[in-house]
């Protein structure tokens, strides 16, 4: 079924009326189409604009990103002035210009996608153009990369990252860890620690090469996302091209996960690939990949209970197709769940044994409570209560977080039981579970929203829904500062982010929502 927007339309002149739903489109190859034809069109122009934006972001990151506290490399190339005074201001401006260029290019590319002027193959060409410049950037919008290196060095030196913080292993790596995390145990799984230990064994205490190697090891996650999102969309009735544009080429994903060097990139890629494999009938491989993702960050494990339903459905359908009487639901569940648990124990237990650590990451998950911002519902509720009462935020947060955790448990159980009848139900349940965890957990950060986004993108969406997701992605991209500090408590910063988000959303439907062309004429 083709997209509801005519392929003859210019993407800069899309109608302002809302199409019903962006459905799945098939992409027959045109033998007469040359590779350069894409670059000449609106989608190609957007690709070049986004690549320029990524280059701006990278250059600005050297002075205004989450830079090292002492950076002899910049001093050696006479660029240390970028980190101070007017140089820092200039670097900050360059980063924000680059981010806005990437957002503008992404929205413009989205208009071309909705008009069927770009295919999945075209977007695969755009992905490296927008990603490669970010590979050499200083970590941006977060200092987590330095924590990863310090945690890996702890395991390398024989310390237990689940019982002690990086402060027990002084050195250059510790010097760059955010102060709030120096005494905090790691909340990540054994695979994360093994990767960190391997990297620091190769690079030693060299922060630059260690960060770069971390980023390279995360890149397979981006490839898995780009591979898995269109395949999942085809099974869920969505538009593969729209899904790839929304969930992978999104600046929120590229700048935060690639530029920010977050292990979510590999976690989400493995989780998504595992979901696709289970849907395609390769159950053991799929469960192994999702278990591997959970061994990086526990969030991915939320998909496993829902994938048990998919395995049961496949076993039942196979019996019917072969003319056999399917086993009882209890027997099917026991087989699928039992085998799935065995795979998880083998993968997670095996990596834990190799890393030489236990399950202390379960208690370390509470360390995220140190993060306080408006992106999580319990924090929103806590702030709202303090506006009208004399109570202090700390004591209120204890109550709101407890209430939200109770609600989260109830939602997860309800979603798991409610969405069990079809493959589509199970995937929808995974999306709901990931969204609930993001919103109701004690803490949330902008890149956490990439978890449910990659699953949600697979479903058919109206243009209005896509506009809402564009606005949300843009706002989340802009609400943190490049050095990792929070901009949500600065009214001017929030207002500008909201304005940019609204303009980006409207630009998906019309190229000139502010009527600037008419004003210039």
């Amino acid at each position: 079924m083709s997209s509801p927007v005519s392929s003859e339309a210019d993407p800069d002149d899309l109608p302002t009326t809302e199409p019903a739903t962006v459905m799945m489109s098939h992409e027959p190859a045109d033998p007469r189409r040359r590779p350069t034809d894409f670059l000449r069109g609106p989608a190609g122009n957007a690709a070049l604009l986004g690549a320029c934006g990524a280059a701006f972001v990278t250059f600005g990151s050297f002075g205004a990103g989450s830079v090292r506290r002492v950076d002899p490399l910049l001093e050696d190339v006479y660029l240390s002035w970028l980190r101070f005074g007017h140089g820092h201001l200039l670097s900050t401006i360059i980063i924000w210009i680059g981010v806005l260029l990437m957002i503008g290019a992404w929205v413009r590319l989205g208009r071309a996608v909705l008009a069927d002027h770009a295919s999945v193959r075209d977007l695969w060409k755009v992905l490296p153009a927008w990603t490669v410049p970010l590979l050499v950037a200083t970590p941006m919008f977060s200092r987590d990369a330095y924590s990863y290196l310090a945690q890996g060095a702890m395991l390398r030196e024989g310390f237990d990252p689940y019982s002690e913080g990086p402060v027990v292993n002084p050195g250059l790596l510790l010097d760059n860890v955010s102060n709030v995390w120096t005494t905090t145990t790691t909340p990540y799984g054994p695979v994360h620690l093994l990767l960190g230990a391997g990297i620091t064994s190769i690079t030693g205490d060299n922060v630059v090469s260690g960060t770069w190697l971390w980023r390279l090891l995360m890149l397979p996650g981006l490839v898995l996302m780009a591979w898995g999102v269109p395949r999942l969309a085809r099974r869920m009735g969505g538009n593969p091209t729209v899904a790839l544009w929304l969930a992978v080429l999104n600046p929120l994903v590229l700048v935060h996960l690639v530029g920010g060097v977050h292990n979510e990139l590999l976690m989400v890629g493995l989780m998504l690939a595992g979901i696709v494999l289970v849907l395609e009938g390769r159950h053991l491989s799929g469960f192994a990949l999702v278990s591997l993702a959970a061994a990086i960050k526990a969030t991915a494990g939320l998909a496993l209970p829902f994938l048990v339903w998919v395995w049961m459905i496949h076993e039942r359908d196979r019996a019917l197709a072969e003319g056999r009487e399917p086993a009882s639901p209890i027997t099917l569940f026991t087989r699928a769940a039992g085998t799935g648990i065995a795979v998880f124990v083998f993968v997670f237990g095996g990596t834990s044994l190799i890393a030489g650590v236990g399950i202390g990451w379960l208690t370390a998950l509470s360390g995220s409570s140190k993060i306080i911002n408006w992106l999580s519902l319990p924090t929103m509720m806590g702030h709202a209560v303090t506006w009208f009462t004399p109570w202090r935020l700390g004591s209120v947060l204890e109550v709101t977080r407890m209430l939200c955790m109770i609600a989260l448990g109830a939602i997860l159980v309800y979603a798991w039981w409610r969405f069990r009848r079809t493959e589509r139900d199970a995937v929808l349940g995974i999306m709901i579970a990931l969204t609930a965890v993001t919103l109701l957990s004690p803490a949330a950060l902008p890149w956490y929203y990439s978890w449910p986004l990659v699953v949600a993108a697979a479903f058919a969406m109206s243009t209005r829904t896509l506009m809402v997701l564009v606005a949300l992605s843009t706002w989340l991209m802009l609400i943190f500062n490049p050095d990792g500090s929070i901009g949500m408590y600065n009214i001017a910063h929030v207002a500008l982010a909201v304005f940019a988000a609204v303009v980006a959303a409207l630009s998906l439907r019309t190229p000139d929502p502010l009527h600037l062309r008419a004003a210039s004429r």
Side-chain angles (χ1 to χ4, degrees):
M1 184 180 296
S2 62
S3 171
V5 182
S6 171
S7 61
E8 300 297 326
D10 187 335
D12 283 351
D13 296 313
L14 290 178
T16 56
T17 56
E18 182 184 351
T21 304
V22 181
M23 297 296 290
M24 182 173 65
S25 62
H26 299 284
E27 303 164 19
D30 186 352
R32 297 170 299 176
R33 190 181 185 197
R34 295 171 297 179
T36 55
D37 291 343
F38 170 72
L39 292 176
R40 294 195 182 104
N45 294 335
L48 294 175
L49 181 64
C52 291
F56 270 66
V57 169
T58 295
F59 184 78
S61 74
F62 297 139
S66 302
V67 297
R68 291 184 290 169
R69 293 191 169 93
V70 177
D71 197 336
L73 181 61
L74 283 183
E75 295 176 1
D76 291 343
V77 294
Y78 306 104
L79 289 176
S80 59
W81 60 273
L82 290 172
R83 300 178 59 209
F84 308 101
H86 294 301
H88 181 268
L89 176 61
L90 176 62
S91 299
T92 303
I93 293 173
I94 291 174
I95 281 186
W96 284 125
I97 290 175
V99 168
L100 292 175
L101 286 176
M102 290 190 73
I103 292 173
W106 178 57
V107 173
R108 182 176 174 82
L109 183 62
R111 289 203 305 271
V113 167
L114 293 178
D116 276 344
H117 284 290
S119 65
V120 169
R121 184 177 301 177
D122 293 329
L123 298 192
W124 267 95
K125 300 173 187 174
V126 176
L127 185 59
W130 290 11
T131 303
V132 169
L134 299 174
L135 297 181
V136 296
T138 297
M140 293 171 288
F141 297 94
S142 168
R143 303 187 68 85
D144 282 3
Y146 305 126
S147 295
Y148 296 170
L149 291 173
Q151 292 158 3
M154 287 179 64
L155 187 65
R156 179 195 67 189
E157 298 299 329
F159 296 100
D160 184 0
Y162 293 151
S163 60
E164 298 172 296
V167 71
V168 301
N169 188 32
L172 291 175
L173 299 181
L174 176 65
D175 293 343
N176 293 286
V177 176
S178 180
N179 293 333
V180 72
W181 303 125
T182 55
T183 59
T184 305
T185 56
T186 180
Y188 306 122
V191 171
H192 167 89
L193 293 177
L194 286 171
L195 291 174
I199 289 171
T200 54
S201 296
I202 296 172
T203 63
D205 289 344
N206 189 311
V207 179
V208 174
S209 58
T211 302
W212 183 72
L213 191 52
W214 252 115
R215 187 176 273 142
L216 286 183
L217 288 179
M218 296 299 104
L219 273 184
L222 186 66
V223 176
L224 289 174
M225 288 170 62
W227 170 84
V229 165
R231 296 175 78 94
L232 186 61
R234 292 185 183 101
R235 297 190 71 94
M236 295 297 109
N239 185 319
T241 313
V242 171
L244 183 59
W245 163 78
L246 177 64
V248 181
L249 288 168
N250 193 323
L252 176 67
V253 172
L254 296 181
V255 176
H256 273 298
L257 296 190
V258 178
V261 198
H262 289 292
N263 58 14
E264 270 89 356
L265 185 60
L266 187 56
M267 179 206 81
V268 171
L270 289 170
M271 178 188 70
L272 184 68
I275 292 172
V276 171
L277 289 181
V278 171
L279 291 172
E280 292 179 349
R282 290 175 280 182
H283 307 113
L284 292 176
S285 300
F287 268 75
L289 284 186
V290 178
S291 300
L292 195 62
I296 296 173
K297 196 163 186 176
T299 311
L302 291 171
L304 291 172
F306 294 92
L307 294 178
V308 170
W309 298 132
V310 176
W311 199 339
M312 289 176 59
I313 293 168
H314 289 176
E315 291 296 322
R316 181 199 63 197
D317 291 347
R318 185 172 64 176
L320 293 174
E322 295 174 354
R324 295 184 287 108
E325 180 69 21
S328 68
I330 295 178
T331 302
L332 289 174
F333 178 82
T334 302
R335 290 175 182 170
T339 309
I341 291 173
V343 172
F344 176 80
V345 170
F346 176 79
V347 172
F348 204 101
T351 53
S352 296
L353 287 175
I354 295 172
V357 295
I359 57 173
W361 58 274
L362 289 172
T363 56
L365 292 174
S366 61
S368 63
S369 61
K370 294 182 178 181
I371 302 173
I372 299 177
N373 63 49
W374 286 83
L375 293 181
S376 67
L377 185 58
T379 305
M380 292 183 200
M381 295 166 57
H383 279 297
V385 170
T386 59
W387 290 345
F388 305 105
T389 67
W391 299 332
R392 298 181 64 86
L393 180 61
S395 59
V396 174
L397 277 180
E398 292 181 5
V399 177
T400 57
R401 285 174 171 174
M402 179 186 67
L403 293 176
C404 286
M405 290 305 292
I406 294 173
L408 175 59
I411 290 173
L412 292 179
V413 172
Y414 171 79
W416 178 69
W417 183 251
R418 166 64 177 80
F419 297 99
R420 69 185 190 278
R421 302 188 184 282
T422 65
E423 288 184 354
R424 179 184 170 84
D425 275 354
V427 176
L428 186 59
I430 293 172
M431 184 197 73
I432 292 172
L434 293 172
T435 303
V437 167
T438 304
L439 290 174
L440 296 174
S441 292
L445 293 165
W447 51 93
Y448 288 11
Y449 286 81
S450 64
W451 308 343
L453 181 63
V454 294
V455 181
F459 294 92
M461 300 181 188
S462 67
T463 301
R464 187 179 299 277
T465 301
L466 290 173
M467 291 171 66
V468 171
L469 292 176
V470 165
L472 178 62
S473 298
T474 301
W475 187 82
L476 289 169
M477 181 66 253
L478 299 176
I479 203 58
F480 267 42
N481 292 309
D483 63 358
S485 59
I486 302 173
M488 300 180 68
Y489 295 93
N490 183 317
I491 296 178
H493 190 144
V494 173
L496 289 173
V498 170
F499 174 76
V502 172
V503 171
L506 294 176
S507 297
L508 186 64
R509 193 168 58 181
T510 175
D512 187 21
L514 300 180
H515 305 292
L516 298 179
R517 295 178 184 175
S520 64
R521 286 197 296 269

